[in-house]
Amino acid sequence: MSQPLITLDFLDSSPAPVAADAQPAEAVRVSPATRTGRQRKLYIESYGCQMNFSDSEIVSSILFEEGFDTTEQLADADLVLLNTCSIREKAEQTVRMRLKQINGHKKRHPGLLVGVLGCMAERLKTKFLEEEKIVDLVVGPDAYRDLPRLISEVDGGQKAVNVLLSREETYADITPVRLNSNGVAAFVSIMRGCDNMCSFCVVPFTRGRERSRDAHSIVRECQDLVVAGYKEVTLLGQNVDSYKWASEDGTEYVNFAQLLERVALVSPALRVRFSTSHPKDITDEVLHTMARHDNICKYIHLPAQSGNSRVLKLMNRTYDRPWYEERVQAIRRILGDDCAISTDMISGFCSETEEEHQDSLSLLDFAQYDMGYNFFYSERPGTLAARKLEDDIPLEVKKRRLQEIIDRQQLHARARYARMVGRVHQVLVEGTSKRSQDYLSGRNSQNQVVIFPKGNFQKGDYVNVLATSTTGAALLGEAVG
Ligand code: SAH
Ligand code: SF4
Ligand code: F3S
């Protein structure tokens, strides 16, 4: 049933974002077609983070049971769902523009049902129905099990809304329809929500309280993926290091390091990645677990947000610069210099001075990140910062600082690629290179893109590749041994 992903980002995508507008959280994925003869057709587009892409797989699974195949053609759809993101204003504008296009389509297809899912649905609730008349259905991230009932209400001519957040829902028992997958790598959601209150962030309001999924169901899902031929899982959560699950009888307690180990033991041929780590929570136990298992990829996404302690305090990140630097040093101590680290940085947060911005640049130099996802600050209604702090940095200053961060980060990304030349990398092949049909593209443990001549290899193979050169955003090489 699962089909290759149709995605608007590319296999050989640059790990070093180059422009302020090319950041991943605004990416959109159109789910591909499942053709199993179901009566109705669902077209689903996902915006925002990997959690949303993963949720779309759960939604497709729930609606598959209700008689919906997915289609990749809007023109074929009976039901259009947009799984939306609220993280920055631009993410919401993108969805609004898309709804306008879909409105044009609906005028020609009056029977079409249109629904909004995800974080924007949760943030705007019934307001959505007032603001966007074409929307029939508004469903928040914890209410997807209610979709069949809501759709039957809409079928009956009503508008339908469910934006209740839950303290328990993890969709643990729902087997996702693997839409966002190339058949090699899959996302596995291990927790939902977030209990941190970073002052800039809308996620605690749109995703609710943090809860961890049953460890056994996670391991079972990974075992099933191995049986289905998958070679890589990414364990997903807003703050994976605070994963904690206890069995109902209280005899079993699993923290993130222990979960990681259990998943690593599913199969030595299964690569394990995880995202996102919060600097206040990542423990030496997690780092030692990574060191013990070759199949846990040596790559940590450890968003700093700022390099200045005063700004970090205003952001309510609960760590300061010395703490963050110590965590980077712990990674280097336990996993060595080869372990890749990436960050998220926000430029122009409320009251950030030029000197404080310089501290963000110097943190890039300190950490020598392999990759950075960088953004200028976008005030989000209802957040602590929106209520208590003035959004006082002019847009052009925010953008200039952002460009400086991107430029500096690119230097480090290039250097990190360059140091890998001349070495042999174990590459998991993800598919044909977008540059040429004769080349394959995959990633090494550090999540760097590696491109090499196809030979007799294919998607899903592990290949040892000697890196002979780099473009600064990918390694080029040839298979050895
Ligand atoms: N849970 C992750 C972050 C998830 S949101 C963590 O704590 O690191 C992804 C990224 O979006 C954040 O790391 C942050 O850099 C960025 N972001 C969140 N809110 C933002 C805002 N209001 N303006 C600009 N960027 C924001
Ligand atoms: Fe947002 Fe902070 Fe939670 Fe990340 S940890 S999702 S930035 S509140
Ligand atoms: Fe966006 Fe919601 Fe993810 S706000 S980044 S889709 S958790």
Side-chain angles (χ1 to χ4, degrees), residues 25-26 47-53 55 83-88 91-92 117-120 123 141 193 201-204 206-207 238 380:
E26 265 87 55
Y47 296 78
C49 63
Q50 291 168 334
M51 302 284 302
N52 248 17
F53 301 154
D55 280 1
N83 196 357
T84 61
C85 173
S86 287
I87 201 80
R88 285 168 289 276
E92 293 201 351
L117 314 177
C119 290
M120 221 174 144
R123 194 177 84 70
C201 185
V202 76
V203 172
T206 61
R207 293 262 161 181
Q238 288 299 350
R380 306 312 294 131

Side-chain angles (χ1 to χ4, degrees), residues 218-248:
I218 295 169
V219 171
R220 257 196 316 274
E221 187 173 333
C222 294
Q223 288 166 336
D224 291 347
L225 285 164
V226 170
V227 171
Y230 284 81
K231 299 287 174 58
E232 183 178 296
V233 290
T234 302
L235 307 181
L236 288 183
Q238 288 299 350
N239 181 4
V240 288
D241 299 273
S242 71
Y243 176 90
K244 50 186 168 311
W245 174 80
S247 60
E248 260 169 39

